[in-house]
């Protein structure tokens, strides 16, 4: 994955202004930005992925984004909307199609009608609603899709590999793509000017067509481009060793061996989140946390230690290239 990196001078200057200092020093417990050691060294930005499942409540995250932004921490928000897309498809008399890849990843298959609904629901309604809610909480939020400014770009897929009745098959369809480039100049400019980007798919394919992409992996691409900590908020407390037993929460992952165990434990849709974690860390994110969106102060809690924390050391010396599953299903 390639990105147009540049210096963070604007953000560094904003962090050390008297106004920022007057809002209080960074707390070592991560409440105002984990990882900072003093007020003169800005912590990395935070990319927050808010899941689109019906069991995910965004209210706590909205308040937390407002608190972090008020303390001077740069935050970018990425969101999905799977439940809203399914509900809209069903209201239109269409049946959502999900497929399983040979690697066990469950994802959405996007046909032409589904792509039309995505364009209506995600950048049209959900992004507008979330941006408005953040602005109502005092955040200078600005909504974007991956098409805007060529924010998220890459090749279009012509087919996906799926597993049906125990057999590997090729399912043809060209309404999804693989994110390979992030316009981080655009994001850095917005952050440097004090805005909080609120990003959603679709992405812009290399032939100039808007296509679907998985929101978890879009968040990973954004986090990697910004060198940001990635907090993936979902409807469970993190990754469980036993998917049916919350008491088996995997708290931290720091070695390749532990990461192998994490991948083996991830089940269903959680596999995509672990895949996204790997891609984000390989692309330059310092840390990825998978945590509950429904906790009190979910982002602050995640930065302070709740959820499943995956360190960059867990993926070794990855090259940032997408995994094989990129040629399979889209979210």
């Amino acid at each position: 994955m390639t990105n147009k990196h540049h210096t963070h001078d604007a953000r560094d200057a904003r962090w050390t202004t008297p106004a920022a200092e007057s809002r209080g020093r960074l707390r070592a417990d991560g409440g105002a930005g984990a990882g900072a050691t003093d007020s003169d060294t800005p912590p990395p930005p935070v990319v927050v992925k808010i899941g689109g499942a019906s069991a995910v409540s965004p209210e706590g995250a909205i308040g937390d984004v407002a608190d972090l932004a008020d303390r001077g921490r740069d935050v970018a928000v990425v969101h999905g909307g799977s439940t809203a897309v399914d509900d809209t498809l069903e209201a239109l008399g269409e049946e959502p199609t999900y497929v399983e890849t040979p690697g066990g990843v469950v994802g959405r298959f996007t046909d032409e009608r589904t792509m039309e609904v995505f364009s209506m629901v995600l950048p049209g309604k959900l992004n507008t609603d979330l941006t408005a809610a953040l602005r109502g909480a005092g955040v200078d939020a600005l909504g974007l899709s991956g098409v805007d400014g060529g924010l998220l770009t890459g090749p279009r897929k012509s087919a996906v590999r799926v597993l049906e009745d125990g057999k590997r098959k090729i399912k043809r369809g060209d309404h999804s793509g693989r994110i390979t480039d992030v316009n981080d100049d655009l994001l850095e400019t917005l952050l440097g000017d004090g805005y909080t980007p609120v990003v959603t798919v679709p992405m812009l394919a290399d032939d100039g067509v808007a296509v679907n992409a998985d929101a978890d992996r879009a968040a990973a691409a954004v986090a990697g481009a910004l060198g940001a900590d990635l907090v993936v908020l979902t409807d469970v407390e993190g990754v469980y060793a036993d998917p049916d037993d919350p008491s088996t929460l995997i708290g931290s992952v720091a070695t390749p061996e532990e990461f192998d165990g994490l991948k083996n434990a991830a089940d269903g849709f959680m596999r995509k989140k672990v895949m996204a974690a790997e891609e984000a860390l390989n692309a330059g994110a310092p840390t990825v946390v998978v945590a509950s969106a429904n906790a009190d102060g979910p982002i602050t809690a995640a930065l302070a230690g709740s959820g499943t924390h995956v360190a960059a050391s867990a993926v070794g010396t990855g090259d940032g290239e997408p995994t094989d599953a990129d040629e399979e299903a889209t979210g």
Side-chain angles (χ1 to χ4, degrees):
M1 185 175 292
T2 58
N3 310 291
K4 300 184 287 294
H5 293 288
H6 57 88
T7 63
H8 294 202
D9 293 344
R11 184 170 65 249
D12 293 356
R14 181 164 64 89
W15 179 263
T16 56
T17 60
E21 291 181 354
S22 71
R23 286 191 290 265
R25 301 290 181 180
L26 289 172
R27 298 197 304 271
D29 65 0
T37 56
D38 59 67
S39 61
D40 295 324
T41 303
V46 180
V47 171
V48 180
K49 162 55 171 50
I50 300 177
S54 59
V56 171
S57 174
E59 285 78 10
I62 289 168
D64 234 1
V65 170
D67 183 60
L68 288 168
D70 187 58
R71 292 177 180 274
R73 185 86 181 255
D74 281 342
V75 183
V77 177
V78 180
H79 72 86
S82 57
T83 298
V85 170
D86 287 350
D87 290 346
T88 304
L89 282 168
E90 291 169 1
L92 294 172
E94 306 284 344
E95 186 71 24
T97 302
Y98 286 88
V99 294
E100 182 180 356
T101 73
V105 178
V106 177
R108 182 191 301 277
F109 179 77
T110 307
D111 57 16
E112 182 176 3
R113 185 58 166 162
T114 303
M115 189 64 229
E116 291 175 351
V117 171
F118 257 94
S119 297
M120 290 189 294
V121 173
L122 270 76
K125 177 172 173 50
L126 296 183
N127 190 266
T128 300
D129 289 349
L130 182 56
T131 301
L134 285 163
R135 295 192 67 84
V139 179
D140 207 355
L142 188 149
L144 297 162
S145 80
V147 172
D148 296 320
L151 178 58
L152 304 174
T153 57
R156 196 205 291 230
K157 301 177 185 178
S158 61
V160 294
R161 293 188 299 240
V162 302
L163 192 66
E164 292 183 0
D165 300 322
K167 298 180 180 178
R168 294 172 181 254
K169 298 182 179 179
I170 298 294
K171 194 172 181 68
R172 300 292 173 184
D174 60 358
H175 294 283
S176 62
R178 175 165 58 87
I179 299 168
T180 56
D181 295 274
V182 177
N183 184 353
D184 61 324
D185 285 343
L186 174 58
L187 294 174
E188 292 278 10
T189 297
L190 293 172
L191 291 169
D193 287 342
Y195 291 100
T196 295
V198 183
V199 179
T200 191
V201 293
M203 61 171 280
L204 186 66
D206 49 12
D207 58 358
V209 176
V211 296
N212 187 21
D214 178 62
D216 286 318
R217 300 170 83 177
V222 171
L226 293 176
D229 291 327
L230 174 59
V231 177
V232 180
L233 297 178
T234 185
D235 57 355
V236 293
E237 295 178 8
V239 184
Y240 304 147
D242 177 350
D244 297 320
D245 185 356
S247 70
T248 65
L249 174 72
I250 300 172
S252 63
V253 178
T255 68
E257 292 76 18
E258 290 173 345
F259 191 74
D260 286 341
L262 185 74
K263 289 192 288 187
N264 290 334
D267 185 58
F269 288 100
M270 188 59 76
R271 293 196 180 203
K272 284 196 297 182
K273 301 186 189 308
V274 173
M275 185 188 304
E278 183 174 17
E279 292 171 5
L281 295 167
N282 278 334
T287 306
V288 177
V289 188
V290 180
S292 172
N294 303 320
D296 292 336
I299 305 167
T300 301
L303 293 172
S306 70
T308 298
H309 286 242
V310 188
S313 57
V315 299
T317 55
D319 58 9
E321 289 300 312
T323 64
D324 289 343
D326 259 311
E327 304 306 325
E328 298 167 352
T330 303

